[in-house]
Amino acid sequence: MENFDLILILKHLIIGLVQGFTEPIPVSSSGHVMIASEILGMGEQGFTFAILTNTASLFAIMFIYREDIIRLITGFLLFIKTRDRRYRADFNFALYVIIGSVPAGVLGILLSDVIADNVSMTTIAIMLFVTGIALWLIRNLRGTKRDGDLTSKDALLVGLGQAVALTPGISRSGATIISAIAVGMNQETALRFSFMLYIPVSLGGVVLGITDFLDEPNKMDLALPYTVTFFATLIMTYFAMRWFMGIMKNGKLHYFTYYCFLVGILLLIFF
């Protein structure tokens, strides 16, 4: 029994590392978790597991962007209170994050019973090809829009990209970053706006899923494996995000095109 428990913990550790590494980068974390689970013989991970790992990644992203989050919330509220022009830019950016969060939020609620059930490896492979093609198409775009240059139209279009990522196998970060670059944002703003959008939608998912998490019948039996998964995801997301920020800064986003194509081909061959 002890050996079985150790193996189970190690498997959850691997899954947590996979989730953490792939969450920030444009390769579909949910797809990679499914692939890893299949290889490890763990079967499909449930909704409780998804909430757990999503929360861990959320905490890591919020820690990295904590100064931006505090500044945006403060500026948003102070502008409403004082109408001081000093806070106008932060108010606008926060407002655009709210606007951009609406499409995925609405579709997530309406289609919650339809999304992400019994996704096949072929579906993941196809979606990786779609992501790879999109990354390739925007590889030479060098936008000029900074935080203060965004419009509500930009926010809505990127938000629609995030809504598309509700499709199993489509990377959320990939869809939003590709959309952001396509509407003319520079690399830094595209990255920041993408992960600012991630926070409210992810928080909403956690809130909506907390009842399912509390009602999970096996959570006490899996307390240790789940704890290992949570912290593995948390730590790996932090370092993966820091690494990905460097990739974006150096304009090397197109490298993920090759990765998406390679993994997609391997899935079609071996699964």
Side-chain angles (χ1 to χ4, degrees):
M1 185 66 179
E2 291 181 359
N3 289 334
F4 173 79
D5 287 342
L6 178 59
I7 292 173
L8 184 64
I9 290 170
L10 289 174
K11 287 181 176 181
H12 277 78
L13 172 64
I14 293 171
I15 294 294
L17 294 174
V18 169
Q19 160 68 24
F21 182 71
T22 56
E23 177 60 49
I25 64 179
V27 298
S28 177
S29 60
S30 60
H32 278 72
V33 167
M34 288 186 62
I35 295 168
S37 297
E38 183 72 18
I39 293 173
L40 294 171
M42 296 177 67
E44 186 176 352
Q45 301 301 316
F47 187 66
T48 297
F49 188 87
I51 291 294
L52 181 78
T53 54
N54 181 72
T55 302
S57 290
L58 174 64
F59 285 175
I61 299 299
M62 289 182 69
F63 180 77
I64 290 173
Y65 282 108
R66 62 192 182 279
E67 293 180 359
D68 289 296
I69 294 170
I70 293 171
R71 190 192 74 248
L72 289 173
I73 293 175
T74 302
F76 183 83
L77 296 175
L78 286 175
F79 181 78
I80 292 175
K81 180 180 180 180
T82 67
R83 298 294 173 175
D84 192 321
R85 293 179 60 185
R86 290 179 299 170
Y87 307 116
R88 179 77 196 196
D90 289 334
F91 171 83
N92 285 342
F93 195 91
L95 180 62
Y96 295 149
V97 169
I98 295 171
I99 293 172
S101 301
V102 170
V106 172
L107 288 179
I109 293 173
L110 294 178
L111 303 178
S112 60
D113 295 330
V114 179
I115 296 169
D117 285 334
N118 300 316
V119 181
S120 69
M121 291 297 166
T122 300
T123 301
I124 295 174
I126 293 172
M127 293 302 101
L128 283 171
F129 287 133
V130 171
T131 301
I133 291 170
L135 288 169
W136 182 256
L137 291 175
I138 58 100
R139 69 190 185 282
N140 293 323
L141 296 182
R142 296 293 182 269
T144 57
K145 290 183 180 179
R146 300 182 179 182
D147 293 10
D149 302 320
L150 304 187
T151 65
S152 56
K153 180 181 177 181
D154 295 332
L156 186 59
L157 289 173
V158 179
L160 290 172
Q162 180 162 251
V164 169
L166 293 172
T167 305
I170 290 288
S171 165
R172 191 218 63 85
S173 65
T176 50
I177 289 173
I178 289 167
S179 301
I181 292 176
V183 301
M185 296 185 202
N186 63 27
Q187 302 280 325
E188 182 180 354
T189 296
L191 182 68
R192 183 182 297 108
F193 192 70
S194 168
F195 284 96
M196 287 297 107
L197 282 182
Y198 168 76
I199 292 170
V201 171
S202 185
L203 278 172
V206 171
V207 171
L208 291 174
I210 192 67
T211 301
D212 296 285
F213 181 81
L214 294 175
D215 291 340
E216 168 64 43
N218 298 321
K219 64 178 180 293
M220 294 309 299
D221 295 334
L222 294 171
L224 182 56
Y226 274 11
T227 300
V228 169
T229 301
F230 181 88
F231 284 103
T233 301
L234 177 74
I235 294 169
M236 182 56 77
T237 300
Y238 175 84
F239 287 106
M241 184 64 196
R242 288 295 188 189
W243 173 71
F244 184 56
M245 291 170 80
I247 294 288
M248 287 289 291
K249 184 177 181 180
N250 294 323
K252 305 297 184 182
L253 187 62
H254 64 281
Y255 286 173
F256 292 103
T257 295
Y258 311 127
Y259 177 84
C260 288
F261 287 163
L262 175 61
V263 175
I265 291 170
L266 290 175
L267 286 177
L268 292 178
I269 292 174
F270 294 105
F271 291 93

